[in-house]
Amino acid sequence: MALIEGVEVSWDRRHECFSLDPAVSYLNHGARGAVPVAAQRALQRLRDEAEANPIRFFRDLPERIAHTRRHLAAFLGADPDGAALVGNTTAGAAIVLQSLGLRPGDEVLLTDHRYGAVAFTAEREGRRTGASTRTVDVPLDATDDEVTARVADALRPGRTRLLVVDHIASATARLFPVEQVAAVARAAGVPVLVDGAHVPGMLPVRVDAIGADFWVGNLHKWAYAPRGTALLSVAPRWRDRIDPLAVSWEQDAGFPARVEWQGTLDYTPWLAAPTGLFALRTLGVDRVREHNAGLAAYGQRVVGAALGVAPGDLPGPGGALPAGVAMRIVPLPAGVAATVPDAEALEVRIADEVGAMVAVMAWDGRGWLRLCGQVYNRREEYDRLAERLPALLSGNSRTRPNPSSASGSR
């Protein structure tokens, strides 16, 4: 047990470390994260400091940002001098794409598991430069060797200017063999950007050991940082070429300062991020990972059974299952949520009629339910979803749940 910003943080009281609505089952931590109360208080304290003397606060910011970056980079096994704090993973991907100097005839290669906003970013850069984007399909049940072979076969040395691969895919919770993929791309002379949005805090990682040219991950999901905190790691040969999306007063300072300094932005989420990481470490990083992975697997199992999905048809994270994979997906009945608008509508219905926040994805022509596990969750929440979801999908549920009847997430 430890007092962090005046908040008791301990495993036995882990449900009280967050300020989530107790009337809602919050089963979608991967979407926006949830900030521990201790980190919320650190954030507010920093904002109070900024408003007490804004000029002094901003004068001292560059060194404080650098100190925070060194702390977060060490946790991720990244070179602090070759990493920059950015707002989120998509912003980091945009910085990389616009720094490559793409030209007509160049292409960016992605997999069909890629995150939608990153794909949009690559397509926008293609429209601006004349480059193109291309997608390689990766079956959900492909082995690591099969994934690597598919990607290797899709590379076009001399034309493919960037390969974008997810570390853990948002849409499918698929774990990709990023070290193997980076190795085959490196042999082909193709730079690699690893989208590690869900990795910090969820999985143990040594970013520098992956061998990617670029790696970017959010700390505001599974590492308990306030929202708007991510780390972009860049291999040495690229650092002089990385430019921010907007130029500010640290432009001549080089990378990473030129990327981090963006004028009068609110930098307090970055400065409060170590408090969130301290809360995670106080709860016990390995214990949290094991707990969260177990809950996600349990939720997949009971919800899958309620929908009539055989255990063998429930997708795993892919490859060898490491401790800590805390997202799982469940296939929805054929024709349900098979398009993005339908998936979004179903997600809202589940929130309104079941009282559960979940992710509904349309991928590969069908709908999928993505469930997460976090320390504030309990098994009863997945049981309740499993009990109510079949009726909702059959059209028999139209009544908003009584909040007082839901045990919620505390």
Side-chain angles (χ1 to χ4, degrees):
M1 188 272 287
L3 280 177
I4 305 175
E5 297 287 335
V7 179
E8 180 180 325
V9 177
S10 66
W11 185 257
D12 291 341
R13 302 186 66 176
R14 62 191 181 278
H15 306 96
E16 302 172 22
C17 292
F18 295 82
S19 57
L20 293 165
D21 183 350
V24 175
S25 293
Y26 198 76
L27 308 179
N28 191 15
H29 185 90
R32 300 287 185 266
V35 184
V37 175
Q40 293 179 44
R41 290 189 178 178
L43 182 63
Q44 188 58 55
R45 175 175 51 78
L46 287 159
R47 286 176 173 164
D48 290 344
E49 179 189 347
E51 296 309 320
N53 192 330
I55 292 176
R56 182 176 63 190
F57 184 81
F58 275 84
R59 181 193 65 204
D60 297 338
L61 260 178
E63 179 51 39
R64 293 177 74 174
I65 291 171
H67 175 76
T68 298
R69 182 207 327 128
R70 289 191 289 268
H71 184 91
L72 300 180
F75 175 69
L76 297 173
D79 178 2
D81 295 324
L85 293 172
V86 294
N88 57 41
T89 296
T90 304
I95 290 169
V96 170
L97 282 159
Q98 66 93 35
S99 297
L100 290 175
L102 295 174
R103 298 172 296 182
D106 292 341
E107 71 171 17
V108 176
L109 181 66
L110 308 98
T111 80
D112 58 340
H113 296 248
R114 83 278 189 228
Y115 185 58
V118 172
F120 293 154
T121 303
E123 291 164 2
R124 184 193 67 174
E125 194 63 18
R127 290 192 296 271
R128 189 179 71 84
T129 64
S132 62
T133 60
R134 190 162 54 90
T135 299
V136 54
D137 294 340
V138 176
L140 198 56
D141 59 353
T143 66
D144 284 353
D145 288 344
E146 289 169 344
V147 171
T148 304
R150 278 181 173 260
V151 172
D153 290 343
L155 296 172
R156 297 172 179 172
R159 182 174 178 182
T160 306
R161 290 290 309 283
L162 184 70
L163 166 65
V164 182
V165 62
D166 292 86
H167 205 146
I168 301 174
S170 176
T172 63
R174 162 82 206 207
L175 178 68
F176 276 77
V178 290
E179 293 89 349
Q180 290 180 223
V181 171
V184 298
R186 187 166 57 248
V190 176
V192 179
L193 165 63
V194 174
D195 179 342
H198 287 278
V199 170
M202 187 199 286
L203 295 179
V205 62
R206 291 206 57 81
V207 169
D208 287 350
I210 293 172
D213 298 83
F214 314 99
W215 185 97
V216 59
N218 294 325
L219 287 106
H220 56 246
K221 293 181 182 287
W222 304 91
Y224 296 168
R227 278 172 285 278
T229 306
L231 190 84
L232 170 64
S233 177
V234 178
R237 71 188 184 98
W238 292 100
R239 293 171 189 171
D240 290 342
R241 298 173 57 176
I242 296 296
D243 262 333
L245 298 177
V247 173
S248 195
W249 285 100
E250 292 293 315
Q251 181 67 14
D252 291 341
F255 183 83
R258 64 166 53 149
V259 168
E260 292 174 332
W261 189 256
Q262 293 288 292
T264 51
L265 292 184
D266 182 5
Y267 300 93
T268 55
W270 296 356
L271 302 185
T275 302
L277 196 56
F278 184 30
L280 175 62
R281 284 172 162 150
T282 300
L283 291 172
V285 178
D286 292 339
R287 190 175 192 178
V288 168
R289 288 171 176 159
E290 182 179 0
H291 172 274
N292 293 351
L295 269 183
Y298 175 80
Q300 181 193 47
R301 189 164 60 251
V302 297
V303 173
L307 297 181
V309 182
D313 293 332
L314 292 171
L321 175 60
V325 177
M327 298 195 303
R328 295 293 184 97
I329 60 173
V330 178
L332 293 170
V336 174
T339 67
V340 171
D342 287 348
E344 292 174 344
L346 179 58
E347 190 172 300
V348 172
R349 283 194 63 204
I350 293 172
D352 288 347
E353 299 182 33
V354 181
M357 306 305 297
V358 299
V360 181
M361 311 289 192
W363 183 81
D364 197 29
R366 73 175 304 166
W368 302 82
L369 183 75
R370 192 190 73 188
L371 299 171
C372 300
Q374 189 49 262
V375 296
Y376 47 72
N377 292 129
R378 295 183 172 94
R379 286 192 170 199
E380 306 91 83
E381 296 176 279
Y382 306 93
D383 294 338
R384 186 183 313 114
L385 176 63
E387 178 185 350
R388 297 178 178 177
L389 186 59
L392 183 148
L393 296 180
S394 68
N396 295 328
S397 173
R398 299 293 179 194
T399 305
R400 189 181 183 94
N402 179 0
S404 65
S405 68
S407 65
S409 53
R410 292 200 175 215

CSV table of all heavy atoms in Angstrom, one decimal, residues 62-75 78-85 231-232 255-257 260 270 274:
chain,number,residue,atom,x,y,z
A,62,PRO,N,10.7,22.8,-20.8
A,62,PRO,CA,11.5,21.9,-21.6
A,62,PRO,C,12.3,20.9,-20.8
A,62,PRO,O,12.3,19.7,-21.2
A,62,PRO,CB,12.4,22.9,-22.4
A,62,PRO,CG,11.6,24.1,-22.5
A,62,PRO,CD,10.9,24.2,-21.2
A,63,GLU,N,12.9,21.3,-19.7
A,63,GLU,CA,13.7,20.3,-18.9
A,63,GLU,C,12.7,19.4,-18.2
A,63,GLU,O,13.0,18.2,-18.0
A,63,GLU,CB,14.6,21.0,-17.9
A,63,GLU,CG,15.4,20.1,-17.0
A,63,GLU,CD,16.2,19.0,-17.8
A,63,GLU,OE1,16.7,19.4,-18.9
A,63,GLU,OE2,16.2,17.9,-17.4
A,64,ARG,N,11.6,19.8,-17.7
A,64,ARG,CA,10.6,19.0,-17.1
A,64,ARG,C,10.1,17.9,-18.0
A,64,ARG,O,9.9,16.8,-17.7
A,64,ARG,CB,9.5,19.8,-16.4
A,64,ARG,CG,10.0,20.7,-15.3
A,64,ARG,CD,8.9,21.5,-14.7
A,64,ARG,NE,7.9,20.8,-13.9
A,64,ARG,CZ,6.9,21.3,-13.2
A,64,ARG,NH1,6.8,22.6,-13.2
A,64,ARG,NH2,6.1,20.6,-12.5
A,65,ILE,N,9.8,18.3,-19.3
A,65,ILE,CA,9.4,17.4,-20.3
A,65,ILE,C,10.4,16.4,-20.6
A,65,ILE,O,10.2,15.2,-20.7
A,65,ILE,CB,9.0,18.1,-21.6
A,65,ILE,CG1,7.7,19.0,-21.3
A,65,ILE,CG2,8.7,17.2,-22.7
A,65,ILE,CD1,7.4,19.9,-22.5
A,66,ALA,N,11.7,16.8,-20.7
A,66,ALA,CA,12.8,15.9,-20.9
A,66,ALA,C,12.9,14.9,-19.8
A,66,ALA,O,13.2,13.7,-20.0
A,66,ALA,CB,14.1,16.7,-21.1
A,67,HIS,N,12.8,15.4,-18.6
A,67,HIS,CA,12.9,14.5,-17.4
A,67,HIS,C,11.8,13.4,-17.5
A,67,HIS,O,12.0,12.2,-17.2
A,67,HIS,CB,12.8,15.3,-16.1
A,67,HIS,CG,12.8,14.4,-14.9
A,67,HIS,ND1,13.9,13.8,-14.4
A,67,HIS,CD2,11.7,14.1,-14.0
A,67,HIS,CE1,13.6,13.1,-13.3
A,67,HIS,NE2,12.3,13.3,-13.1
A,68,THR,N,10.6,13.8,-17.8
A,68,THR,CA,9.4,12.9,-17.9
A,68,THR,C,9.7,11.9,-19.0
A,68,THR,O,9.4,10.7,-18.8
A,68,THR,CB,8.1,13.7,-18.2
A,68,THR,OG1,7.9,14.5,-17.1
A,68,THR,CG2,7.0,12.7,-18.4
A,69,ARG,N,10.2,12.4,-20.1
A,69,ARG,CA,10.5,11.5,-21.3
A,69,ARG,C,11.5,10.4,-20.9
A,69,ARG,O,11.3,9.2,-21.2
A,69,ARG,CB,11.0,12.3,-22.4
A,69,ARG,CG,11.3,11.4,-23.7
A,69,ARG,CD,12.3,11.9,-24.6
A,69,ARG,NE,12.3,13.3,-24.7
A,69,ARG,CZ,13.4,14.1,-24.5
A,69,ARG,NH1,14.6,13.5,-24.2
A,69,ARG,NH2,13.4,15.4,-24.6
A,70,ARG,N,12.5,10.8,-20.2
A,70,ARG,CA,13.5,9.8,-19.7
A,70,ARG,C,12.9,8.8,-18.8
A,70,ARG,O,13.2,7.6,-19.0
A,70,ARG,CB,14.7,10.6,-19.0
A,70,ARG,CG,15.6,11.4,-20.0
A,70,ARG,CD,16.8,11.9,-19.2
A,70,ARG,NE,16.5,12.9,-18.3
A,70,ARG,CZ,16.6,14.2,-18.5
A,70,ARG,NH1,16.8,14.6,-19.7
A,70,ARG,NH2,16.3,15.1,-17.6
A,71,HIS,N,12.0,9.2,-18.0
A,71,HIS,CA,11.3,8.2,-17.1
A,71,HIS,C,10.5,7.2,-17.8
A,71,HIS,O,10.5,6.0,-17.6
A,71,HIS,CB,10.5,9.0,-16.1
A,71,HIS,CG,9.8,8.2,-15.0
A,71,HIS,ND1,10.4,7.9,-13.8
A,71,HIS,CD2,8.6,7.6,-15.0
A,71,HIS,CE1,9.6,7.2,-13.1
A,71,HIS,NE2,8.5,6.9,-13.8
A,72,LEU,N,9.7,7.7,-18.7
A,72,LEU,CA,8.7,6.9,-19.5
A,72,LEU,C,9.5,6.0,-20.5
A,72,LEU,O,9.1,4.8,-20.7
A,72,LEU,CB,7.7,7.7,-20.2
A,72,LEU,CG,6.8,8.6,-19.3
A,72,LEU,CD1,5.8,9.4,-20.2
A,72,LEU,CD2,6.1,7.8,-18.3
A,73,ALA,N,10.5,6.5,-21.1
A,73,ALA,CA,11.3,5.8,-22.1
A,73,ALA,C,12.0,4.6,-21.4
A,73,ALA,O,12.1,3.5,-21.9
A,73,ALA,CB,12.3,6.6,-22.8
A,74,ALA,N,12.5,4.8,-20.2
A,74,ALA,CA,13.2,3.8,-19.4
A,74,ALA,C,12.2,2.6,-19.1
A,74,ALA,O,12.5,1.4,-19.2
A,74,ALA,CB,13.7,4.3,-18.1
A,75,PHE,N,10.9,2.9,-18.8
A,75,PHE,CA,9.9,1.9,-18.5
A,75,PHE,C,9.7,1.1,-19.8
A,75,PHE,O,9.4,-0.2,-19.7
A,75,PHE,CB,8.6,2.6,-18.1
A,75,PHE,CG,7.5,1.6,-17.9
A,75,PHE,CD1,7.5,0.7,-16.9
A,75,PHE,CD2,6.4,1.6,-18.8
A,75,PHE,CE1,6.4,-0.2,-16.7
A,75,PHE,CE2,5.3,0.8,-18.6
A,75,PHE,CZ,5.3,-0.1,-17.6
A,78,ALA,N,13.3,2.1,-24.2
A,78,ALA,CA,13.6,2.9,-25.4
A,78,ALA,C,14.7,3.9,-25.0
A,78,ALA,O,14.8,4.3,-23.9
A,78,ALA,CB,12.3,3.6,-25.8
A,79,ASP,N,15.4,4.3,-26.0
A,79,ASP,CA,16.5,5.3,-25.8
A,79,ASP,C,15.9,6.6,-25.6
A,79,ASP,O,15.2,7.2,-26.4
A,79,ASP,CB,17.4,5.3,-27.1
A,79,ASP,CG,18.5,6.4,-27.0
A,79,ASP,OD1,18.6,7.1,-26.0
A,79,ASP,OD2,19.2,6.5,-28.0
A,80,PRO,N,16.1,7.2,-24.4
A,80,PRO,CA,15.4,8.5,-24.1
A,80,PRO,C,15.8,9.6,-25.0
A,80,PRO,O,15.1,10.6,-25.2
A,80,PRO,CB,15.8,8.8,-22.7
A,80,PRO,CG,17.0,8.0,-22.4
A,80,PRO,CD,16.9,6.8,-23.3
A,81,ASP,N,17.0,9.5,-25.6
A,81,ASP,CA,17.5,10.6,-26.5
A,81,ASP,C,17.0,10.4,-27.9
A,81,ASP,O,17.1,11.2,-28.8
A,81,ASP,CB,19.0,10.6,-26.5
A,81,ASP,CG,19.6,11.0,-25.2
A,81,ASP,OD1,19.0,11.9,-24.5
A,81,ASP,OD2,20.7,10.5,-24.8
A,82,GLY,N,16.4,9.2,-28.2
A,82,GLY,CA,15.8,8.9,-29.5
A,82,GLY,C,14.3,8.7,-29.4
A,82,GLY,O,13.7,8.1,-30.3
A,83,ALA,N,13.7,9.3,-28.4
A,83,ALA,CA,12.2,9.2,-28.3
A,83,ALA,C,11.7,10.6,-28.0
A,83,ALA,O,12.4,11.5,-27.5
A,83,ALA,CB,11.9,8.3,-27.1
A,84,ALA,N,10.4,10.8,-28.4
A,84,ALA,CA,9.7,12.1,-28.1
A,84,ALA,C,8.3,11.8,-27.6
A,84,ALA,O,7.7,10.9,-28.0
A,84,ALA,CB,9.7,12.9,-29.4
A,85,LEU,N,7.9,12.6,-26.7
A,85,LEU,CA,6.5,12.6,-26.2
A,85,LEU,C,5.6,13.2,-27.3
A,85,LEU,O,5.9,14.3,-27.8
A,85,LEU,CB,6.4,13.3,-24.9
A,85,LEU,CG,7.1,12.6,-23.7
A,85,LEU,CD1,7.0,13.5,-22.5
A,85,LEU,CD2,6.4,11.3,-23.4
A,231,LEU,N,4.5,7.9,-26.6
A,231,LEU,CA,6.0,8.0,-26.8
A,231,LEU,C,6.3,7.5,-28.2
A,231,LEU,O,5.9,6.4,-28.6
A,231,LEU,CB,6.8,7.1,-25.8
A,231,LEU,CG,8.3,7.4,-25.8
A,231,LEU,CD1,8.6,8.6,-25.0
A,231,LEU,CD2,9.0,6.2,-25.3
A,232,LEU,N,7.0,8.3,-29.0
A,232,LEU,CA,7.5,7.9,-30.3
A,232,LEU,C,9.0,7.7,-30.2
A,232,LEU,O,9.8,8.6,-29.9
A,232,LEU,CB,7.2,9.1,-31.3
A,232,LEU,CG,7.9,8.9,-32.7
A,232,LEU,CD1,7.4,7.7,-33.5
A,232,LEU,CD2,7.7,10.2,-33.5
A,255,PHE,N,15.7,16.8,-32.9
A,255,PHE,CA,14.9,15.8,-32.3
A,255,PHE,C,15.5,15.4,-30.9
A,255,PHE,O,16.7,15.2,-30.8
A,255,PHE,CB,14.8,14.6,-33.2
A,255,PHE,CG,13.9,13.5,-32.8
A,255,PHE,CD1,12.6,13.5,-33.0
A,255,PHE,CD2,14.4,12.4,-32.1
A,255,PHE,CE1,11.7,12.5,-32.6
A,255,PHE,CE2,13.6,11.4,-31.6
A,255,PHE,CZ,12.2,11.4,-31.9
A,256,PRO,N,14.7,15.2,-29.9
A,256,PRO,CA,13.2,15.2,-29.8
A,256,PRO,C,12.6,16.5,-29.5
A,256,PRO,O,11.3,16.6,-29.6
A,256,PRO,CB,12.9,14.1,-28.8
A,256,PRO,CG,14.1,14.3,-27.8
A,256,PRO,CD,15.3,14.6,-28.6
A,257,ALA,N,13.3,17.5,-29.1
A,257,ALA,CA,12.7,18.7,-28.6
A,257,ALA,C,11.8,19.4,-29.6
A,257,ALA,O,10.8,19.9,-29.3
A,257,ALA,CB,13.8,19.7,-28.1
A,260,GLU,N,8.5,17.7,-29.4
A,260,GLU,CA,7.8,17.8,-28.2
A,260,GLU,C,7.2,19.2,-28.0
A,260,GLU,O,6.1,19.4,-27.4
A,260,GLU,CB,8.7,17.4,-27.0
A,260,GLU,CG,9.0,15.9,-27.0
A,260,GLU,CD,10.0,15.5,-26.0
A,260,GLU,OE1,10.8,16.4,-25.6
A,260,GLU,OE2,9.9,14.4,-25.5
A,270,TRP,N,1.5,15.0,-19.7
A,270,TRP,CA,2.8,14.3,-19.8
A,270,TRP,C,3.5,14.4,-18.4
A,270,TRP,O,4.0,13.4,-18.0
A,270,TRP,CB,3.7,15.0,-20.8
A,270,TRP,CG,3.2,15.0,-22.2
A,270,TRP,CD1,2.1,14.3,-22.7
A,270,TRP,CD2,3.8,15.6,-23.3
A,270,TRP,NE1,2.0,14.5,-24.0
A,270,TRP,CE2,3.0,15.3,-24.5
A,270,TRP,CE3,4.9,16.4,-23.5
A,270,TRP,CZ2,3.3,15.7,-25.8
A,270,TRP,CZ3,5.2,16.9,-24.8
A,270,TRP,CH2,4.4,16.5,-25.9
A,274,PRO,N,4.1,10.1,-15.0
A,274,PRO,CA,4.9,9.2,-14.0
A,274,PRO,C,4.1,8.8,-12.8
A,274,PRO,O,4.3,7.8,-12.2
A,274,PRO,CB,6.1,10.0,-13.6
A,274,PRO,CG,6.3,10.9,-14.9
A,274,PRO,CD,4.9,11.2,-15.3
